Amino acid sequence: MDVTVIAESSENGLHPVTAQLVGAAVAIGGAPTVLCAGGWGVEDAVSISGVAKVISVVGDCFGSFDGGAWAEALSSASGGDVIIAAATPAGREIAATIAAIRGIPIVQDVTGLAPGISVTRPIYSGKAIESSTVGTPCAITVRANAFDAAGEDGSAEVSTVNQSADVAVAVREAIAKASERLDVAEADIIISGGRGMGDPANFSHLEEIADIIGAAVGASRAAVDTWDEIPHGMQVGQTGKTVTPSLYIAVGISGAIQHLAGMRTSKYIVAINKDPDAPIFGVADYGIVATWEDALPALKAELGKL
Amino acid sequence: MAYEALDFYDIDSLLSDEERMVRDMVRDWVDEKVIPNIEEACRDGVFPDEWRVDLGEMGILGAPLKGYGCPGLSYIAYGLICQELERGDSGVRSFASVQGSLAMYPIWDFGSEEQKNHYLPRMATGEWVGCFGLTEPDYGSNPGDMITRAEDKGDHYLLNGAKMWITNGTIADLAVVWAKLDGVIRGFIVEKGDPGFTAPEMTGKHSLKASVTSELVFQDCRIPKDRILPDVKGLKGPFSCLNNARFGISWGAVGAAQSCFNSAKEYALSRIQFDHPIASFQLVQNKLAWMLREITKAQLLAYHLGQKKDDGTWIPEHISLAKMNNVDIALEIARMARDIHGANGILDEYPVMRHMANLESVKTYEGTHDIHNLILGRHITGIQAFTREFTE
Amino acid sequence: MTIAVLLKQVPDTTSKISVSGGRVDESAVSKWSMSPYDEYALESALQLKESGGGDVVAITCGPARAAKMLTDAAAVGADSLLHVLVEDLNALDSTQVQAILAAAVSHCSAQVVFCGKQAADTNAGSTGPGVAHLMGASCVTMVSEVASEGDSFTAMRASSGGDQRVAVSAPCLFAFDKGTTELRRPNVRGIMMAKKKVAETLGASDLGVDTSASSVSVDSHSPPPEKPPGQRFEGVDSVAVVVSKLRDEANVI
Ligand SMILES: Cc1cc2nc3c(=O)[nH]c(=O)nc-3n(C[C@H](O)[C@H](O)[C@H](O)COP(=O)(O)OP(=O)(O)OC[C@H]3O[C@@H](n4cnc5c(N)ncnc54)[C@H](O)[C@@H]3O)c2cc1C
Ligand SMILES: Cc1cc2nc3c(=O)[nH]c(=O)nc-3n(C[C@H](O)[C@H](O)[C@H](O)COP(=O)(O)OP(=O)(O)OC[C@H]3O[C@@H](n4cnc5c(N)ncnc54)[C@H](O)[C@@H]3O)c2cc1C
C-alpha cells in the first residue's frame, strides 16, 4: 500500500500528531512518504519509525496559508493509494482539496482504520459510529489521539521538491488572539468551581488550567450566589446553563441534583472533591478524592506536559 | 435541552408549513427571550418594552387580520402564536391578545377607512400599543349596564366615567373605549394625551405580574368627532372582539399547561424519594397521565375550533366551551404540577406557580368560567340565566 | 452578483440519534434543522447582499424533507432556492456530492459561494474546499465575516495564531465557522413570502453528475461504545493517571 502522509507542521516545527498519522499509515500496511509543507519539521519527521522517505516541499506559496495553493503545491508529490492528514482545520482543507484535484474521495475525522480499507468515524457529534469501506485511491484525515504514535527510531531519506502555486488568499492583517474567556455554553471543555474553592480569588487556578487546554470556566450556583465576582453567566445547572462539553471538570462542587441537571450529559466528567461521599462522584467518569489545593497544581503540571 | 412540546396525537401533522414555521418562530423567541427573563419581569412588575418591539418585528400582532399592514394568517396560526406565547407567560399572550383581538380588531372591523389606515399599520409593528376598555369598577360580567357615557357636543365628544382592569392601559398609545352615547353602546378611540384622560396603573397583583393592568379615567375627556367607530352599535361590538380573544385564550391555555406538564415530568423523573424517582410511583403517574389526557383533549378542541374559525362555521358558544374547558384544565394541571414539585413548586425557579397564579386571572377575564357555563346553558335550554327576571 | 449558499439539513444537535438494524434510524429523529455553521453562512450572505446588492440563492443537495429547510432560508431572505434531490446522501461519496454542488452553483451562475466549515452530521468539512476546486475558485475556511471591497472580498478567518483578515477575488468560496454575528429571526412577512418562492428541483443527472459508482460504502452504523464505569482515585498522585486516561481512554484532551 503506497501511503502519503501530509505532516502537520508550521514554522514552529513538526506537530506531534504527525507521528500518529504515521501510526495510522502503518495500520493499513504502508511505509509512508511524509510530505513537509514549506520544509517545516523535516528534521523531526525523518526520525519517526516506519517512514520510508520524507519530501520537503518548498515554494513561495507556503509564506502564508492558502489551503488551495498549498494543496496544489503538495498534490504533485501526493501520489499513491492513500493520503493521510490530520483532521485539523488546515489538514482537512488541504486533504479535501488534494482529493478534489485528484478526483478521489475523502473520509474525514477517522478514528479507526484497517486494511481493506475499513474506516470508522464518529458521526452526529459522537452519537453514533459509522463503519465504511473505501476504495483506493482515497484521502483520509484522522482525529488526534485516535492512533498510537509511531516510535522515534527511524532514519528516512529526505528529498526536496521545489513546487509552488499561485496564492489567491492574501493576508491583509493578523489580529492577535484576544484572551477573552470562552462562554461555557460554547466550550468543548469546561472546568467549573464550586463553593469548595473557598474564595473567588482561587478561581484564578481554574483559569490557568483553562488557558492550557482551551477550556471555559464555569461555576456552581453556590459560588455565583456567594461571590459577586463570579457572574451568573458562568453558572451551570438547572437555573444556569445546560452544557454538553466533551470534558467537564468539577472542582469543589458537591453535585446537587440541580447542578447535575446542567452537566450530566457531558461526554466525560472529572470530579475533584475532598469528600469521598460527595454525590458528584456518582456521575464522574474519573473521580479524584483530594483537595483542590493539592490537585490543581498537579493537574496544571500534567496538562502542561501534553 | 430544547423544548419538546407534548403532541400525543400528532397535531403537528395537521398543520400547514406556514403554520408550523410561524409556531417555530414564536417558540424559539419564547425560549430565547421570555423564559430567561420572565421571573425578573414578574418581580419588577413590568412588561419589558423589548418584547413589544420583538412581537412587532416578528409581525404577529393582529395576525389573523388582513390588510393595513396585517398579515392575514389563518386562525390556527393565530392560535399557535397564542399557545407558544402563553407557554412562556400568560402576560405575554395577554399583551398580544389585547393588541390584536381587542384593540386592532374593532378598528379593522368597525372603523372608518381613515381610522384603519391611520392606526392599524403602526399597531401591527408594535409602534403603537392599544388597550380595550370595557370592564368598569361596578360592571364586570354585566357590561351592558356600564356607566361610562359619551356626549355629542357638536364638534367633539365628551367622555365621562372610568374603566378598570384594563390590560396595557398605562403603556397604551390608544384605547378602544366602550361607552354609551344616547343610551347605546358605541366604540371610541381615545389617545394618550387627550385632555381629561388618564391611565393610572393598578398595583398589588399576585397574578399576571408581567402584564400592565390599569384604570382608565375620563373626566370631561374631549375627543374629536372622527374617533367614533362608525360601523357598530350595542354589545355586539365588544363581544365580537372578545370572541377572537377568547379563541386565542383557548390555545394559550394549552401552552401554559404544556409548560407545567413538562416541568412536572422532568421533576418527577429526577426527584428521588424512598430510593426511587417519584415518577415511578403510581400516584404520580396517575397525575401525569391525567395531564397528558386533558392536554391532548384540549389540543384537539382548540384545533377543531381553529378549523371552524377558518371556514366560518363557528358559533360563539363553540368558543365559550373551548375557553372555559382549556383554561379550567390548565389551571388544574398547574395545581397538580405544583404538587408534584413539592416545596420546590412554590419557587420562582420553576414555572408552575407562576402559571397557576396567572391562570386564575385567565379564568376570570374574557368571560368568567361560570359566565361561559351560562352561555352554554342558554344554548342548551334556550333560557338565559344571567338575570333573575324572566325574559324570552 | 449572485451569492450561492450551500445548506445541509441535519438532525438538530439536540436530537437523540438511535441506531436500529445497523443504520441510524432517520425516522426517529425528532427535529431536522439547518446545519448550524450553514446558518452563519446564510446570515453573512444576506448581510453581504444588503450591503452591496445581489441575489442570494440557497442550494441544498438532499432528500425531499430538506425542502423545508430551503423554505426556512427563503423566510429569512434567500431570493431563490435550488433543491438537488438525492434520496440517500449516505450512498454518495465526497467527489459526487462536490460535483453535484459545483454543478448547481454553476447552474445558478454564481461566482461567490458561502457554506459552513463542516456539516453537523458528519462534521467532515470536505465540501467547501472540494467545491472551490471544482469551480476554480479560491477558498477561505474558518470564516466569521465577509465584506465586499470593489471587485474583491475581505474575510475574517480564524487561524491557530489568531484571526486574520484576508482578501480574495471572485470566483471564491467562504466556509464559515460560528461567528459572533447574531442570526436573524424570521418574521411573518418573510414566512408568507417564502410560500411564493418555489424551489427549482433537479436530479443529479440533470446536472450531468453520475451518482451510480460511489467508492465509499457504508457498512454499518453503531451506537457509540459504552463508557467504562466511573473510576475513583485517591489523592493527588492519581492526577497523572487521570490525565493519561483522559488522553488515551477518553480521547478528550
Ligand atoms: C430550584 C433550584 C435551582 C438550582 N439551580 C442550580 C443551578 O443551576 N446550578 C447549581 O450549581 N446549583 C443550583 N442550585 C443549588 C444546588 O442545590 C446546590 O446548592 C449548589 O449546586 C451547591 O453548590 P456547590 O456544590 O458549589 O456547593 P456545596 O454543596 O457547598 O459543595 C461544596 C463542595 O466542595 C467540597 N470542598 C470543600 N472544600 C474543598 C477543597 N478544599 N477541595 C476540594 N473540595 C472541597 C465539599 O466537599 C463540597 O462537596 C439550585 C437549587 C434550587 C433549589
Ligand atoms: C388581569 C386582568 C386583566 C383584565 N383585562 C381587561 C381588559 O383589558 N379590558 C377589560 O375590559 N376588562 C379586563 N379585565 C376584566 C375582566 O374581563 C373582568 O374581571 C371579568 O369580566 C369579570 O368581571 P368582575 O371581575 O367584575 O367579576 P364579577 O362579574 O363581579 O363576577 C364575580 C363572580 O360572580 C360570578 N357571576 C357574575 N354574574 C353571575 C351570574 N349571573 N350567574 C352566576 N355567576 C355570576 C362570576 O362568574 C364570578 O365568579 C381584566 C381582568 C383581569 C383580572
Side-chain angles (χ1 to χ4, degrees), chain A residues 196-207 227 230 292-293 296:
Chain A
M197 294 303 292
D199 188 292
N202 292 330
F203 272 66
S204 63
H205 299 283
L206 303 176
E207 282 162 14
W227 300 310
I230 312 292
W292 65 262
E293 288 89 337
L296 291 185

Side-chain angles (χ1 to χ4, degrees), chain A residues 195 220-221 235-239 252 254 258-259 273 292-293:
Chain A
R195 183 149 49 197
S220 74
R221 165 136 157 211
Q235 184 181 319
V236 173
Q238 182 189 308
T239 43
S254 60
Q258 296 89 354
H259 189 78
N273 197 303
W292 65 262
E293 288 89 337

Side-chain angles (χ1 to χ4, degrees), chain A residues 65 92-93 105-106 108 124 127 129-133 135 145 170 172-173 175 177 267 276 285-287 289, chain C residues 13 15 94 121 123-124 126 141 157 163 165 167 215 217 219-222 227 231-233 235 249 251 253:
Chain A
F65 186 69
R92 287 170 191 245
E93 181 178 351
I106 178 164
Q108 303 255 23
Y124 304 116
K127 291 182 211 167
I129 306 292
E130 181 176 86
S131 307
S132 39
T133 306
N145 300 327
R172 286 277 182 82
E173 184 186 358
I175 297 148
K177 228 178 203 154
K267 215 174 275 172
D285 299 287
Y286 305 106
V289 183
Chain C
T13 49
S15 291
S94 58
D121 48 1
N123 281 313
S126 309
T141 57
R157 73 170 177 194
D163 286 349
R165 186 177 297 283
S215 51
S217 60
D219 303 322
S220 70
H221 291 145
S222 54
K227 282 203 288 187
Q231 302 168 45
R232 178 84 72 96
F233 305 91
E249 204 171 79
N251 262 314
I253 50 175

Side-chain angles (χ1 to χ4, degrees), chain A residues 61 63-70 89-90 93 167-177, chain C residues 138-146 154-168 173-178:
Chain A
C61 67
S64 65
F65 186 69
D66 174 351
W70 287 32
E93 181 178 351
V167 172
V169 179
V171 177
R172 286 277 182 82
E173 184 186 358
I175 297 148
K177 228 178 203 154
Chain C
S138 33
C139 174
V140 188
T141 57
M142 307 293 287
V143 173
S144 55
E145 223 177 276
V146 171
T154 60
M156 283 293 278
R157 73 170 177 194
S159 74
S160 48
D163 286 349
Q164 292 181 333
R165 186 177 297 283
V166 300
V168 290
L173 178 145
F174 301 96
F176 277 77
D177 197 354
K178 196 173 165 179

